Structures are given as structure tokens and as C-alpha cells.
Amino acid sequence: MGFTLTAAALPLATILLLRRGIEPRRPTALGAAIGVICGAWSSVVVAAWCPLTNAMHALVGHVAPVALLGLFGAIVGKWVLGLRQRGV
């Protein structure tokens, strides 16, 4: 779980910062999608390395981080990706 979250942290932060303030309609959904994509890619890399194959390990160590990253992306995406009104 730690390897997956660590491997996804930099791409997730980079994409969220590069695309900040661009989504006028659904920044939460876009943030969740970005989080899940970063989690899925990092999970593929970690799963290729991981020698364990039991179901509970796969669920907790490989699937749960993807869900957590999606939730984190949704929460942060609401604040980072949404359009803001500039003060005049």
C-alpha cells in the first residue's frame, strides 16, 4: 500500500498543480479521475514487482490505494481544479 501511494504521489501532485483552476463544471469528478489514473498506473508498477498473490493482500495492498487516491483527488480537486473569481 505504501509503495503504491508513494509512486502515485508525485504524478498526482504534478497534474493537479499544472491543471489548477481550469474546470468550470465538475472539478471534483476530474480530481477523482486524475487520482484513480495515477493510482492505477502506480499499482501496475507495484503489482509487477510484488511477489504475493493472496486475495486479501491484493485487495488491501493494491486496490485500496487506488480508491484512496480517487477520494483524495476528489477532495483536493474541488479546491485546486475549480475556477475561482479573481478579486478586482
Side-chain angles (χ1 to χ4, degrees):
M1 183 182 242
F3 286 145
T4 304
L5 293 173
T6 303
L10 184 62
L12 178 61
T14 302
I15 293 170
L16 288 174
L17 288 175
L18 288 176
R19 300 196 48 95
R20 68 179 174 264
I22 59 142
E23 181 58 37
R25 293 189 179 209
R26 296 197 174 33
T28 304
L30 181 60
I34 292 170
V36 168
I37 288 169
C38 290
W41 277 107
S42 67
S43 184
V44 166
V45 171
V46 171
W49 167 82
C50 184
L52 300 176
T53 59
N54 62 351
M56 187 55 73
H57 169 78
L59 188 63
V60 172
H62 299 285
V63 176
V66 176
L68 287 173
L69 287 163
L71 181 64
F72 178 77
I75 292 168
V76 173
K78 181 178 181 180
W79 294 311
V80 173
L81 298 176
L83 292 176
R84 292 191 181 93
Q85 184 177 7
R86 292 187 176 189
V88 179

